Amino acid sequence: MEPGSVENLSVLYRSHDFLVVNKHWDVRIDSKTWRETVTLQKQLRFCHQLDFSTSGALCVALNKAAAGSAYRCFKERRVTKAYLALVRGHIQESRVTISYAIGRSNTEGRAHTMCIEGTPGCENPKPSFTELVVLEHGLYAGDPVSKVLLQPLTGRTHQLRVHCRALGHPVVGDLTYGRGGAREERPFRMMLHAFYLRVPTDTERVEACTPDPFVPTLDACWSPHTLVCPLNQLIQALRAAPDPEPTTLAMRTYSPAAPHPASPETEAQRASCLQWLLEWTLEPDS
């Protein structure tokens, strides 16, 4: 596999205010470690986060006004996101709503990881909802797996990975939330990809859809044998769906067609946003 770099980023969407790139699975967004030199933060200012091992659509603001507009969309849960994943086992239901509350683990040896409510050491679990649609059943390196489309309706840390684990179908190649042992060390990457992104800002509708990375022509270990739901059909539904309206969590009725929830902004989130926007004042907008 070709190593990731800032130079070979694929551009999915470009305007005067925004850029959406297709992040490689082994490129970090940011880094606090001096050894990690290949990061997107060195050249770009991003509107949201993707885990290090997650590939796919990443939105970048190109000026201060655009950054503020995008921030409001994410804060109010008006952004539509969909991910592709290969998960362990054959999921029997064609559609699943996953609703485990997610909190931070304080268990020794599990620092910086998340857990579902009821897990020993799970602190401050918050409501979390994910819609899952099964696309295909098949084998990965001889083991049964399902290809799925995941739509997060809330934005908790590691939400999709934690929810897939809680469902009993962890993401293939997930060394943190997988089943452990040598099985998850064999895949060359974690099989989670940010496939579709729509950010309805005040001035433009930023929309991008990436190529599907989980196809046999790109990874010979993946061998699908049963089609459950065509991906093209879901893409059309995502594109045709109206932009979610801002709403509160209490008003939210969870279904694939309902708007995304919004939770009150915490002081930490507000401070982080202000610091982020302050960086734009260091240089004049071009």
Side-chain angles (χ1 to χ4, degrees):
M1 301 298 296
E2 181 185 5
S5 69
V6 173
E7 288 72 25
N8 63 17
L9 283 175
S10 171
V11 175
L12 304 169
Y13 177 95
R14 186 196 303 268
S15 71
H16 176 74
D17 293 328
F18 293 98
L19 188 71
V20 180
V21 298
N22 191 4
K23 173 189 170 297
H24 198 273
W25 57 269
D26 68 348
V27 172
R28 249 179 227 286
I29 292 177
D30 59 359
S31 175
K32 297 180 177 67
T33 306
W34 65 268
R35 296 184 300 275
E36 296 160 355
T37 57
V38 180
T39 74
L40 298 188
Q41 191 182 46
K42 290 180 178 296
Q43 297 185 20
L44 307 174
R45 289 197 173 99
F46 43 85
C47 299
H48 57 114
Q49 295 277 350
L50 288 179
D51 292 342
F52 168 43
S53 298
T54 302
S55 57
L58 181 66
C59 184
V60 181
L62 300 180
N63 56 67
K64 185 169 61 176
S69 179
Y71 168 77
R72 287 189 292 275
C73 287
F74 280 94
K75 172 181 173 291
E76 295 170 354
R77 300 282 189 252
R78 291 190 286 124
V79 176
T80 300
K81 295 182 286 185
Y83 292 69
L84 293 174
L86 298 182
V87 300
R88 294 289 179 189
H90 289 160
I91 302 175
Q92 297 308 307
E93 301 90 345
S94 60
R95 291 175 178 262
V96 181
T97 298
I98 312 172
S99 57
Y100 297 101
I102 294 177
R104 189 169 298 277
S105 175
N106 66 4
T107 303
E108 185 176 356
R110 298 290 294 177
H112 310 298
T113 63
M114 310 301 287
C115 52
I116 62 170
E117 188 174 21
T119 304
C122 189
E123 293 183 338
N124 192 27
K126 297 178 180 179
S128 308
F129 297 87
T130 300
E131 296 286 352
L132 180 152
V133 180
V134 178
L135 302 173
E136 294 176 296
H137 290 152
L139 301 174
Y140 191 86
D143 294 323
V145 303
S146 301
K147 182 176 178 178
V148 299
L149 184 85
L150 298 164
Q151 189 170 0
L153 304 181
T154 47
R156 311 305 176 203
T157 301
H158 299 173
Q159 175 174 315
L160 300 182
R161 299 161 64 187
V162 173
H163 270 173
C164 286
R165 174 191 171 100
L167 197 64
H169 299 279
V171 176
V172 173
D174 190 339
L175 298 177
T176 301
Y177 300 103
R179 291 177 176 169
R183 175 191 286 187
E184 300 306 348
E185 295 177 358
R186 285 197 296 268
F188 68 92
R189 60 163 291 181
M190 183 175 69
M191 304 299 173
L192 181 61
H193 177 80
F195 177 63
Y196 177 84
L197 176 69
R198 188 170 76 233
V199 187
T201 72
D202 299 335
T203 57
E204 65 183 284
R205 192 190 208 211
V206 180
E207 185 177 33
C209 189
T210 77
D212 178 0
F214 304 137
V215 293
T217 53
L218 296 178
D219 187 353
C221 290
W222 165 231
S223 177
H225 57 60
T226 303
L227 177 66
V228 179
C229 182
L231 179 57
N232 286 341
Q233 177 181 317
L234 295 179
I235 295 173
Q236 292 174 7
L238 283 169
R239 291 187 181 278
D243 294 326
E245 294 295 331
T247 185
T248 64
L249 187 60
M251 295 168 56
R252 179 66 157 96
T253 300
Y254 285 93
S255 69
H260 293 187
S263 53
E265 182 180 26
T266 65
E267 288 300 322
Q269 289 172 330
R270 180 171 177 76
S272 176
C273 173
L274 292 176
Q275 177 61 36
W276 179 45
L277 294 176
L278 182 61
E279 295 177 4
W280 291 98
T281 67
L282 300 180
E283 298 178 1
D285 293 340
S286 57

